[in-house]
Every structure is written in C-alpha cells, then in structure tokens.
Amino acid sequence: MHDAPRRSFRTAASDGSPASPTTENAPETGSVPHVPYFRPHTVTGGEVVPGDLLALSERDVAEDRWFVVTHTVPESPETIRVTLRPPLGGTDREAPLSRSGEVTVACRRMDAGRIPVVTSSDLRAVEFRDGDRVTTLRAVDPRAEEETWVRRWDRWYRDLENRSEQPLSDEELRGLAEGAAHADRLVRHHPRPRRSAGTVVPRRVVVTGLGAITPLGLGVPALWQGLLDGRCGIGELEGEEFAGLPVRTAGTVPLDPATLLPRTRARRMNRAAQFAVLAAREAWRDAGFDEAGTVESGLDPERVGVSLGAILGDASVLVGGDRALRENGPRAVSPLTTPMCVPSQAASQVSLDLRITGEARTVTSACASGTEAIGQAVDRIRYGHVDAVLAGGAEAVVTPAIMASFASMRALSTHGLQEGTSPSRPFAKDRDGFVNGEGAGVLLLEAEEHARARGARIYCEAAGWGLSADAHHIAAPDPTGSGVALALRRALRDAGAHAVDVVHVNAHATGTVEGDLAEAGALRAVLGGSVPLTAVKGNVGHLQGAAGGVEAVVTALTLREGLIPPTVGCEVVDAAIEVDLVRGAPRELGGPEGVALSNSFGFGGHNAVLALRRWG
C-alpha cells in the first residue's frame, strides 16, 4: 500500500534532516510528542493509517496546520472517515477523506496515546491572583513553542525580566486568550500553587528600626532631611597632619562621637565603634526597644545578634600605636591598641552596649562589607538562628595615610569645594574619583512574626540579597559589569522578584570613571534604563565599609516615605551612562508595590546587592 511514489516538498517547518527512528524512541507519556523527522510528501487518502501526521490541504501545509490520525473507519467505497487530534494536544475532530484524493503526511507512526485530550480554559469567570500563569500553544504545529503570561502586580507579562514590554490588564489578557482559542491555540490557566499548612518555608524578614551617623549629622532625621534638601556634608580636612596631602576633601562626621558616650566607655572604643554604637542605639530605640538592652526590652539575649561590616574599622589606632612605638619605645604603646584596631570591634561594642549574646559577626569585603553584613543577617533570621539582628556597617578611615594611598591610586576626586555642588560627582560627565568618608548605618531586622507579635512599625521587607565576584583586578572593576549584573540577578531571585518589580535603585556610584560605567551598564542589562536611580555619595562621600549600611537606611526610607532623594554633584550626566538619574529635587516613588535595590561594590571585585520590598 505504501510503495507508491510520493512527492516530497519542504515547508517553513521543514528542517530537511534525514529520517531517524520512529516513535519507539520518543519521550515517555506526558512529555511533548517528539517529531522523528519532518519531510512532507503526498499520499492518497486510502494510504492514510493511524499515527500519520496529516495536513488536509496545501494551505494547511503552508500554515503548518497538522493533525495526528488517531482512527480510520471505511465510510463508503470512495471515502474513509478519519479521527484527527492536534499533535500537541487538544480535542478530536472527524473528517472524510477521498480514497483516491491526495493529502499530505509529514511523519509516520506517532503514538496518539501519548497526546493529551484537553480543552482550552474558559477565563471569563476566573478570579486571577498574582503568580497565576496563562499559557497559549499553537497545538496544530508539532514544533510550536508555548507562550507563557505571568501575572505580577495586577498585570500580565510575557517576560518578567524585560521592563520595556507593555503588560496587559486582566481584561486584555482574557481577550487575547479568547482570540487564541479560536486560532488553533490551546489556552490553559495555571493557578498559583497554594501553600499547604505543613510546608516549611524560610521566615520573612522585616526592617523595624533605623540608625545613622554621617557627614550630614547625627541621626536618621539629619541624614534624610539633608538628602531631600540636596545638602553636601563634604568639607576640607583641617590639621597639620593633612597639610601636605594632594587631596584634602572628605566626608567627616561633624561632631566628636566620644562626647555622646560615657568617657570610660568611649576611651575603650575606636572611632568606628563609637559610630556603630550610636547608630545601633538609634535603630534599637526606633524599633521600640529599651536602650538599656535586650533583657530590659523583654527579649532573650541569645535570640538577638549583631552583624556589621568594616574594612579597617579605625586605621588611626594602629597608626598611633606604631608612632608611639617608634618615638617612645614599647612601654608607650597602649594595651588597648590591639583590641581597638581590629575590624570586629564595632560589632563587639554594640553587643556589649545592648547585652546581645546571640552572635556578633563582622564582615570584611571591602566597600561591599555593610551590604553583605545585612544580607548575612537576613539569612540568620530566615532560617531561625536568631529572631532579630542589628545589621549594617561602620568605618573611620579618614586618616593621612589612607588619604595619601587613595590619592596615589588616583582614586580620589580632585574637584574642589565649589558653591552649590560637590566634589563627589556620581554618574557625572566630569567625575574623576570618589571622596573618602566616615560614619555608620544600622538597621534593626526582625522575623515578621516576631515584629507583628509586639506590634512593631515596619519600614519594609528585607526580601533578599545577592553576591558575586569580578575576578578581574586588585582594584579596578570589570568594565563589562558582568559581575555586578550577576549580583543584581541573584538578589532578585533570592527575593522572589523579577526585573519588572524593581521601582528604584540606590546606586553604589562612587564617582569613578570606570566604576560608574560598569554599574550603569549592568543596570541597563538587567533592568533596562527606565528605573529611577539615586546616589548619595555626592552628599556624604564614600563611607567605605559603612556605605552599604547607610545606603540601606536611605533605601528603606525611600520605600517608606515614597520619595527618592536627588543625586547631588551631577550637573551633566555622562552620555554613556544612559540611566534615569533623579536630580534637582526629590521625585515621588511610582510604580507598583515593588522592590528597591541597594548596590555596593568593593575593591578586588566584591559585589553585593540588597533587595528591599515595600510593606503594607
């Protein structure tokens, strides 16, 4: 019966590949049917047998409209009746075939038992929820690819990582699905899975307290108002030790932190630890706890932790000890030199101050230290190790040797202090380096149920974080921005978020030529150019290991207050940057109840990104 000559021809779907084994080697039941070969040729209706992949007309061939023959029944001496099913699933239909007439077959012996019998979902009465999926598949084309729409923030997206795509409303999606169901397409609704009562999931982490001490002053209100007013806290370094330096501008805290602490305690802390204790106290009070400590606040000290980032902590202690040794001998070196020069002193002093015994962690990963310390705290709470953590960063490295080293690297900005602008110029056309700074920023993080149980005010959710390494250079960033992009994607994935969810980015943006270009390129690659950015280093300088903590505080306030502070110092944006930089005045935070990212990148290729989500 099948020995008659057959006319072969190629369609848009044909690949011209040689024949291969038939469906005995196809995937197991439930997977998409495999097409062993696709070489259309004509046969007579009388030659058609079950398993044939059949097109009823040449127009169907041209449009890749095929059916699997599931059953044949003689109808008359001239005709047979065939039962047909779309090769990728659907409902059966019947059609008469002339025994002598020509039809086209493209594949032999497909297993119809493996092709599901399904109907399109009726979406007219469906009550959609975020996380639902709707798929459409042109079931008559054996090599069609499924198209998926996902509902996010009451809108439907085909690609959650593509911010340039125009999303659909519920009604627009219903209209699209109804049209697809009438065009050989199979439409299916996949509800978001409901969490079962027995499912074990990580705890949500929320921000309930904020504390900061920066070149804009003592406390979060001074920081926030200074940012909204566009004030610059950078000044000229005074003192004989700075006189011979090529660059003498820095962001220093405009008060002596030791004067705000008991004298005996202050003498046993380096300057960075003093900053950390003051910022931690503010965050502790802001969260509604008693400043006397954990026990007085009704907390189990073993269920509370500290996680702070620092690069050096306070470099002046070690420098002073070395000077005393050289000038006056070993007996002149204070016994406090060693415990006061280690980077971990800030975390230990916060632990001592509030009697926190759960853990006191220190993270040292260059200028990404503060952000990584917050990220590690998020995980410690998520997985039940502790219930609350004071997390952030503290640094005090505005010393002559550090300033001279940065200047030798040509990393510092050489712009002077001009009226109405800042020597730190993030993303600016005339940027030429960063401005060294000092300070501390601390967040109080809690498990959601812990915060709710005591009626705490919640700023936002600490939803996720991401790390990566450039593996490129001892100091310079990878110009491709690939490492930064990886950290961004990991933070979003860890937060259960997508590019379309991002409503704001607090950029690292130190004002170096290469660093700002790499960050901007990574942001465009991951998020597109439409996300509003701000950078606070024009206001306070680069606070090194404390930068991530302070900028996380600012990001949390941005979400809470619905205002994006303007970027100071950037008069003309570098044309190569191509980002939506907020300048001149604060901008209202638009978009859905989404995610804000806080970026930190450090010498040696350390990349850390924190994802915070709006609350309420």
Side-chain angles (χ1 to χ4, degrees):
M1 178 181 290
H2 296 288
D3 295 333
R6 303 179 181 194
R7 178 166 53 91
S8 298
F9 54 97
R10 193 181 300 272
T11 72
S14 302
D15 59 10
S17 59
S20 60
T22 55
T23 56
E24 283 79 2
N25 295 323
E28 294 181 5
T29 302
S31 61
V32 175
H34 174 60
V35 183
Y37 58 85
F38 203 93
R39 306 183 79 174
H41 47 272
T42 59
V43 298
T44 63
E47 292 179 286
V48 171
V49 295
D52 276 336
L53 188 61
L54 174 71
L56 295 173
S57 68
E58 291 197 10
R59 179 177 178 180
D60 284 350
V61 174
E63 295 177 355
D64 280 329
R65 193 165 182 265
W66 301 87
F67 296 90
V68 176
V69 178
T70 64
H71 194 56
T72 62
V73 177
E75 191 173 59
S76 71
E78 291 80 24
T79 62
I80 60 172
R81 180 164 294 275
V82 294
T83 303
L84 306 174
R85 185 178 301 168
L88 298 185
T91 56
D92 290 346
R93 54 169 290 186
E94 292 187 350
L97 294 183
S98 168
R99 291 180 181 270
S100 58
E102 286 191 341
V103 293
T104 303
V105 294
C107 177
R108 306 308 306 275
R109 298 299 183 190
M110 291 193 69
D111 185 357
R114 297 174 56 249
I115 303 172
V117 178
V118 289
T119 57
S120 288
S121 301
D122 185 354
L123 304 183
R124 288 174 295 182
V126 174
E127 184 177 343
F128 293 126
R129 299 183 304 154
D130 278 4
D132 284 3
R133 294 183 302 116
V134 168
T135 59
T136 68
L137 176 67
R138 190 165 182 266
V140 295
D141 182 352
R143 292 187 293 187
E145 293 186 1
E146 191 171 66
E147 181 179 89
T148 300
W149 292 82
V150 181
R151 194 173 190 263
R152 196 80 170 174
W153 308 115
D154 300 329
R155 291 290 184 268
W156 292 89
Y157 297 85
R158 276 189 301 185
D159 184 354
L160 288 170
E161 311 306 335
N162 182 3
R163 296 184 58 88
S164 63
E165 177 190 289
Q166 186 64 35
L168 301 182
S169 66
D170 287 347
E171 289 310 308
E172 288 172 329
L173 190 280
R174 285 189 175 97
L176 181 146
E178 186 174 354
H182 294 292
D184 294 326
R185 285 185 174 269
L186 188 63
V187 178
R188 303 290 289 164
H189 173 235
H190 308 273
R192 182 186 74 199
R194 295 184 182 273
R195 184 179 297 169
S196 66
T199 301
V200 177
V201 296
R203 300 189 296 180
R204 294 178 73 184
V205 181
V206 296
V207 179
T208 57
L210 303 175
I213 180 168
T214 72
L216 289 175
L218 174 65
V220 170
L223 169 63
W224 183 244
Q225 194 60 51
L227 295 176
L228 295 182
D229 293 344
R231 188 160 64 85
C232 176
I234 295 168
E236 187 85 13
L237 292 172
E238 299 177 355
E240 182 180 347
E241 69 269 30
F242 295 107
L245 296 179
V247 177
R248 294 187 298 277
T249 53
T252 56
V253 172
L255 52 87
D256 183 358
T259 62
L260 304 175
L261 298 165
R263 179 178 296 180
T264 304
R265 291 285 313 280
R267 289 181 61 190
R268 293 175 179 272
M269 298 184 203
N270 64 34
R271 185 174 173 87
Q274 293 168 0
F275 290 154
V277 168
L278 292 173
R281 284 181 177 182
E282 183 184 15
W284 190 256
R285 291 191 307 269
D286 188 44
F289 293 127
D290 189 321
E291 192 173 317
T294 51
V295 174
E296 292 77 4
S297 300
L299 299 175
D300 179 355
E302 296 181 2
R303 300 296 301 170
V304 183
V306 180
S307 180
L308 294 180
I311 302 175
L312 296 175
D314 185 349
S316 65
V317 174
L318 189 59
V319 172
D322 183 68
R323 182 185 295 118
L325 175 65
R326 286 186 284 107
E327 293 178 356
N328 299 307
R331 292 183 178 275
V333 179
S334 168
L336 294 175
T337 298
T338 297
M340 287 178 61
C341 75
V342 294
S344 61
Q345 214 220 11
S348 68
Q349 287 295 331
V350 171
S351 169
L352 284 166
D353 189 62
L354 295 169
R355 289 186 288 173
I356 294 170
T357 63
E359 55 189 41
R361 305 163 64 84
T362 299
V363 176
T364 301
S365 53
C367 306
S369 300
T371 297
E372 184 174 346
I374 297 170
Q376 289 195 14
V378 169
D379 279 352
R380 299 298 288 174
I381 296 171
R382 271 179 175 171
Y383 299 107
H385 299 286
V386 286
D387 298 320
V389 179
L390 284 162
E395 201 80 77
V397 290
V398 182
T399 64
I402 297 296
M403 293 291 294
S405 173
F406 282 148
S408 295
M409 294 172 63
R410 299 183 180 179
L412 295 180
S413 172
T414 59
H415 293 299
L417 293 166
Q418 301 172 16
E419 187 67 27
T421 187
S422 168
S424 176
R425 302 180 178 180
F427 295 130
K429 182 178 181 181
D430 61 346
R431 69 190 185 281
D432 68 344
F434 68 84
V435 173
N436 195 19
E438 65 178 8
V442 176
L443 293 78
L444 196 288
L445 305 176
E446 290 184 69
E448 179 193 5
E449 59 267 32
H450 190 270
R452 286 187 181 276
R454 64 184 190 86
R457 175 212 42 220
I458 295 175
Y459 283 97
C460 59
E461 179 187 358
W465 64 299
L467 294 177
S468 71
D470 282 354
H472 174 73
H473 189 268
I474 188 173
D478 183 345
T480 68
S482 60
V484 173
L486 177 59
L488 289 165
R489 293 190 180 98
R490 284 178 169 171
L492 288 175
R493 184 167 61 247
D494 190 48
H498 301 274
V500 299
D501 301 331
V502 179
V503 295
H504 170 59
V505 175
N506 191 301
H508 183 63
T510 60
T512 62
V513 175
E514 297 86 356
D516 286 9
L517 279 174
E519 182 177 12
L523 288 169
R524 289 196 307 272
V526 176
L527 304 176
S530 60
V531 180
L533 271 64
T534 195
V536 305
K537 290 182 176 65
N539 305 89
V540 299
H542 187 359
L543 307 190
Q544 308 300 325
V550 170
E551 289 160 17
V553 167
V554 174
T555 307
L557 284 169
T558 298
L559 291 174
R560 173 76 175 182
E561 302 298 327
L563 279 177
I564 303 173
T567 302
V568 169
C570 182
E571 299 295 323
V572 179
V573 180
D574 184 348
I577 294 295
E578 298 182 85
V579 295
D580 180 13
L581 189 65
V582 177
R583 297 183 297 147
R587 184 191 300 180
E588 288 192 7
L589 183 65
E593 300 294 320
V595 167
L597 303 177
S598 182
N599 296 345
S600 295
F601 316 120
F603 281 169
H606 299 279
N607 304 311
V609 177
L610 178 67
L612 302 179
R613 181 178 282 115
R614 274 177 166 175
W615 188 266

